[in-house]
Amino acid sequence: MITKLLEINWVLVSFVIIVIIILLMFRKYEKKKSDTKEIALIGTMAAIAGVSRIPFAVVMSVQPTTFIVMITGYVFGSQTGFIVGALSALVSNFFLGQGPWTPWQMLCWGMCGLAAGKLGKNKKELNIILFAGISAFAGYFFGWTMNIWHWLGFVYPLTLKTFLATYAASFPFDTLHAVGNIAFSIIFGKSFFLILLRFKKRLVKSS
Amino acid sequence: MKYLYSEKNNFIYKLNTSTVVFFIFTLFLLSLIFTHPIYLGTLFIITTLMIITSGNWLEWKGYLRLSIPIVIMIILVNSIFVKTGSNVIYQGPTLPFIGRLRITLEALAYGGAMGLRLIIIISLFCLYTYTVQPDKFMKLFSRFSSKIIFIVILSIRLFPLLIEDYKRIIEVQKTRGVKINKGKWIDKIKNALPIISVLLLSSLERSFEQAESMYARGYGSGKRSIYQKDIKRRRDYIITISTIIGLASGLCIFTAGQGSYSYYPKLSNPSLLDYRLYSILVITMILPAILNWGWKKWPILKSKI
């Protein structure tokens, strides 16, 4: 009976857990003291990351958003990375259509930003090869996490067989996402890093 | 670049945002806890009624077109992979990976019910997208988290601005003689790089200017003032209370175990056990549609609520 109940409500349970995680992260940021420049900067980066989704909306899996979120996290730290990632998903979905997938995307991109922030801690320079490698992994991670939602939401029954089938089906798309991330990192990585670093210095100096 | 939302002249759009959000959330919750085909069917009819009432029939059709292939896939996958169930409809050859093909009525019915649930959820998000104004929706939460909400509203505002900027920078580059769409793909990327860099640079520059302007106006120096307040009218109280009653009756049905239905191993008789709770649920949830009808018919009702 209990297992049956859980099976029925997995979509709801996962939805609630993810929303709570996101809200806790937001709350942590809310408590922190931050100046207006940082707020405006986060808003701008979230908008840029969100806008970059729109021309690529047709090619589902190639998403510059992941790269932009990650480079922001790399320069400005984990917390900023998470907020930019989560909000870019939320904001862009106001234009592309909200759905039960929104919290999942918020979490995925938030985690990408958070991981990049951990990678970039105490680093003065951008190691393109390392960054591209991590961003490629992030592409796969994004797909794998979104697969859980696909599997819970669209695939019945929830068995190991269908789970593996879902992952196998998404593999080409995840690979495209990863390759796209590597390409964006190599092409835009250096210039984005320098620009963001310059604004970070200004941010630190002014506050 | 604009919102998918656009204001229409009917009762649903004249409700307070919190009322509509609560109503849609209730339907969402109920659709997740019920598995009984009659209740799912009822929720589907209620959702359809709400979409038609709010005048979003045309928009909804696009959503349906997208979800039907997914529903068919759910039914197919379910009927192929699940072999429990006693009413065998079709027994076929042995296939690799799946094993012997054995389609049962139970698996088909379960797939159908889950497909229906998916359609309800997608329709509810369609209803949300077209009837809830994003700014007002964000404002509902500003009490709990003012910084995050501010950032969200700021970046929503930046969306159309960024696209304008992008076009402007392209025009500038063209005037300077850069051929944007000519040459090999490597040339295209080389030409795109400065455009994107300038876009990033100028928007970050603007964000700092905006921050200074906010600072000068005293952002964060005290309690936030309210520029616009959404009032709640009598109609909001009516709908909110009726939705609470509907939610309560739905939860009663769920805790009594009547909302669930056993598909396996054999389809049980899909009968309603409690007609009173069921009718309370239906009446409370279609109240907005009824009031919209009355609203158009009798001006006196419109003036009273």
Side-chain angles (χ1 to χ4, degrees):
Chain A
M1 182 65 204
I2 291 169
T3 49
K4 200 175 171 192
L5 206 70
L6 280 177
E7 191 185 313
I8 290 163
N9 288 322
W10 265 125
V11 182
L12 183 64
V13 170
S14 58
F15 193 85
V16 170
I17 292 172
I18 285 175
V19 169
I20 288 174
I21 293 173
I22 293 169
L23 288 183
L24 283 177
M25 294 296 286
F26 280 178
R27 195 167 167 72
K28 212 172 150 197
Y29 177 72
E30 201 70 39
K31 287 230 170 120
K32 204 187 89 178
K33 231 174 118 56
S34 52
D35 70 334
T36 46
K37 278 194 177 148
E38 193 192 276
I39 292 175
L41 186 130
I42 290 176
T44 307
M45 286 317 292
I48 291 174
V51 163
S52 73
R53 266 184 87 187
I54 292 170
F56 287 90
V58 202
V59 207
M60 285 292 275
S61 29
V62 180
Q63 309 222 7
T65 309
T66 318
F67 160 70
I68 297 174
V69 167
M70 285 184 77
I71 194 93
T72 313
Y74 190 89
V75 176
F76 291 98
S78 292
Q79 198 174 35
T80 309
F82 185 89
I83 306 278
V84 168
L87 293 187
S88 65
L90 179 69
V91 172
S92 58
N93 278 351
F94 278 120
F95 300 91
L96 294 170
Q98 299 281 5
W101 48 81
T102 305
W104 287 87
Q105 288 175 339
M106 287 174 73
L107 183 76
C108 285
W109 271 317
M111 293 313 270
C112 288
L114 195 133
K118 289 269 181 284
L119 177 73
K121 207 171 179 185
N122 302 326
K123 289 216 174 86
K124 293 256 152 50
E125 271 171 33
L126 178 72
N127 184 345
I128 291 267
I129 295 166
L130 185 67
F131 185 83
I134 297 286
S135 74
F137 177 72
Y140 280 109
F141 164 80
F142 187 94
W144 290 337
T145 317
M146 289 307 283
N147 275 351
I148 300 176
W149 136 249
H150 261 271
W151 183 62
L152 288 175
F154 295 138
V155 181
Y156 298 92
L158 301 178
T159 59
L160 187 68
K161 225 180 215 178
T162 56
F163 186 76
L164 292 177
T166 313
Y167 275 71
S170 85
F171 188 75
F173 298 101
D174 297 341
T175 308
L176 263 179
H177 190 179
V179 170
N181 283 352
I182 294 176
F184 287 122
S185 306
I186 290 169
I187 299 165
F188 296 114
K190 192 87 197 273
S191 62
F192 267 57
F193 179 73
L194 290 176
I195 293 169
L196 289 176
L197 198 66
R198 177 164 162 250
F199 278 91
K200 190 190 179 185
K201 280 178 188 154
R202 282 173 65 182
L203 196 69
V204 174
K205 213 173 264 176
S206 64
S207 60
Chain B
M1 189 90 257
K2 58 176 189 172
Y3 290 139
L4 295 170
Y5 167 90
S6 67
E7 181 118 12
K8 292 190 174 71
N9 185 23
N10 61 48
F11 180 71
I12 312 294
Y13 287 90
K14 301 283 185 247
L15 287 169
N16 192 301
T17 309
S18 60
T19 315
V20 181
V21 169
F22 179 56
F23 181 84
I24 294 174
F25 178 74
T26 304
L27 279 179
F28 176 63
L29 197 68
L30 291 178
S31 70
L32 284 178
I33 63 176
F34 288 151
T35 53
H36 198 295
I38 292 182
Y39 285 107
L40 284 179
T42 310
L43 287 177
F44 177 69
I45 292 168
I46 292 171
T47 312
T48 311
L49 205 64
M50 281 298 291
I51 286 171
I52 294 170
T53 306
S54 63
N56 289 307
W57 170 252
L58 287 176
E59 288 85 346
W60 186 48
K61 278 206 283 194
Y63 275 73
L64 279 188
R65 213 170 294 144
L66 276 177
S67 51
I68 281 171
I70 305 171
V71 171
I72 292 171
M73 216 177 74
I74 288 177
I75 297 174
L76 271 181
V77 167
N78 202 63
S79 50
I80 290 170
F81 280 97
V82 181
K83 286 163 193 155
T84 44
S86 51
N87 270 318
V88 180
I89 303 174
Y90 175 76
Q91 205 145 20
T94 313
L95 296 173
F97 186 59
I98 302 166
R100 186 153 191 207
L101 201 61
R102 184 173 182 268
I103 295 173
T104 64
L105 182 66
E106 283 77 13
L108 214 58
Y110 185 73
M114 292 304 118
L116 184 62
R117 178 194 270 176
L118 180 78
I119 289 190
I120 296 170
I121 292 175
I122 287 179
S123 307
L124 284 173
F125 274 97
C126 165
L127 189 65
Y128 164 82
T129 306
Y130 288 101
T131 56
V132 177
Q133 219 270 343
D135 292 346
K136 286 184 180 169
F137 176 73
M138 296 317 300
K139 232 186 240 171
L140 289 180
F141 301 100
S142 60
R143 215 172 308 158
F144 312 111
S145 140
S146 62
K147 255 194 281 181
I148 295 284
I149 301 299
F150 179 79
I151 294 172
V152 171
I153 291 177
L154 176 70
S155 49
I156 289 176
R157 184 197 85 104
L158 286 177
F159 255 68
L161 217 58
L162 281 173
I163 290 167
E164 285 294 306
D165 270 7
Y166 180 69
K167 284 182 192 155
R168 188 172 49 88
I169 296 166
I170 283 185
E171 274 169 16
V172 170
Q173 287 292 79
K174 274 184 185 163
T175 322
R176 294 177 62 215
V178 180
K179 291 186 174 57
I180 309 265
N181 289 320
K182 292 269 167 64
K184 286 184 193 150
W185 63 274
I186 195 101
D187 294 326
K188 281 185 194 168
I189 291 173
K190 263 185 199 157
N191 289 334
L193 189 60
I195 296 174
I196 304 294
S197 301
V198 168
L199 183 66
L200 180 69
L201 203 66
S202 70
S203 38
L204 285 175
E205 197 69 52
R206 180 168 51 213
S207 86
F208 272 29
E209 274 167 23
Q210 179 168 21
E212 274 154 14
S213 150
M214 277 157 63
Y215 182 76
R217 288 158 200 234
Y219 175 85
S221 60
K223 223 180 150 201
R224 287 191 74 185
S225 55
I226 298 164
Y227 179 65
Q228 208 175 21
K229 206 171 182 181
D230 288 336
I231 38 169
K232 283 194 174 172
R233 291 169 220 272
R234 203 171 284 156
R235 49 182 177 254
D236 294 310
Y237 292 109
I238 294 172
I239 299 293
T240 308
I241 290 167
S242 97
T243 311
I244 289 171
I245 296 169
L247 180 62
S249 67
L251 290 177
C252 279
I253 293 167
F254 176 66
T255 46
Q258 290 169 21
S260 47
Y261 177 79
S262 59
Y263 290 88
Y264 302 117
K266 196 173 186 314
L267 290 179
S268 52
N269 187 20
S271 59
L272 281 175
L273 289 169
D274 198 329
Y275 281 97
R276 274 176 304 170
L277 281 176
Y278 178 74
S279 39
I280 290 175
L281 179 71
V282 171
I283 290 168
T284 49
M285 296 320 275
I286 62 169
L287 191 68
I290 297 173
L291 283 179
N292 178 57
W293 175 75
W295 170 279
K296 279 185 182 148
K297 203 164 168 69
W298 300 299
I300 181 92
L301 184 72
K302 196 173 178 175
S303 64
K304 288 289 178 202
I305 57 171

